[in-house]
Amino acid sequence: MKKTSLILWTLAMVACSTQKKIVDIPIIFDEQRVELTKEYLLNRYEIEQDTPLITPKMVVLHWTAIPSLKKSFEAFNRSTLPNWRPDIENVSGLNVSAHFLVDQDGTIYRLMPETTMARHTIGLNHCAIGIENVGGTEGFPLTKQQLKSNIYLVNYLASKYDIDYVIGHQEYTLFEGHPLWLEVDDGYRTKKTDPGMDFVEKVRNATKKFNFKPVPTKQ
Ligand SMILES: [Zn+2]
């Protein structure tokens, strides 16, 4: 191929791969959040490091159980847990978040860098990229557009990182005893039902080419 046509081909490929836009709307990640994230890595996982960075091995799919994008964003934006989650406040003050937030119309928003730790899945945050979907409440089930965008994101992330697993949040406790499970407190669990196995299976079926590992079965 001639050099100019190679450049044109490369540009076309770049344009093609970014066809579905990822819109950056960063949540607050101030010094307090950095410190709380490092503290979380140390206290929950015994990982001591100077940065809040992770090595992604897994993608976890969620729903926010909040019907609007604005309210979902607000739930993740502040650095510390608001008072309405006292059930997990004694564990760490770090607010919950996820790397991506997908609106009901399928628009993909990136809330934070993909390799910074987000608090979204007990035991696995040190290796898991979180995708939250707006909705999941009665009257606001997840949509076809969200499904398409989740499939797009898994393709994007599995092409970029060494991803072994794609799981639904409701499956997370199946990793207890797995080498990736690092939570130190056996009593620290929350029961999850998001985002529904139908949604998870559809995403897995559409991304079979990556040969993700099967989720461990309970002993
Ligand atoms: Zn969840």
Side-chain angles (χ1 to χ4, degrees), residues 46-179:
E46 295 177 333
I47 294 174
E48 193 171 1
Q49 54 186 38
D50 296 332
T51 64
L53 298 182
I54 63 165
T55 304
K57 290 274 168 207
M58 176 184 294
V59 177
V60 183
L61 311 178
H62 303 260
W63 66 34
T64 63
I66 299 170
S68 81
L69 174 75
K70 186 170 178 284
K71 286 262 172 1
S72 297
F73 179 83
E74 282 168 5
F76 303 135
N77 192 28
R78 51 179 291 172
S79 295
T80 54
L81 277 181
N83 295 331
W84 52 271
R85 294 292 299 271
D87 53 324
I88 43 176
E89 205 167 28
N90 60 339
V91 172
S92 159
L94 176 64
N95 196 12
V96 292
S97 67
H99 301 85
F100 296 93
L101 179 59
V102 181
D103 199 2
Q104 291 249 297
D105 68 2
T107 308
I108 300 169
Y109 297 95
R110 182 165 39 208
L111 305 183
M112 52 187 284
E114 292 152 11
T115 54
T116 295
M117 194 204 88
R119 182 180 190 179
H120 58 96
T121 305
I122 291 170
L124 302 166
N125 290 314
H126 64 93
C127 67
I129 292 181
I131 302 175
E132 284 280 0
N133 290 277
V134 173
T137 56
E138 210 178 324
F140 292 90
L142 300 191
T143 66
K144 277 206 174 101
Q145 291 96 318
Q146 283 174 312
L147 177 64
K148 274 189 188 170
S149 293
N150 279 242
I151 292 165
Y152 171 85
L153 272 177
V154 170
N155 268 286
Y156 161 76
L157 293 168
S159 306
K160 196 168 173 184
Y161 305 105
D162 194 7
I163 302 293
D164 287 334
Y165 298 95
V166 173
I167 74 165
H169 195 188
Q170 64 204 99
E171 299 178 290
Y172 84 102
T173 53
L174 293 171
F175 280 84
E176 288 175 22
H178 185 280

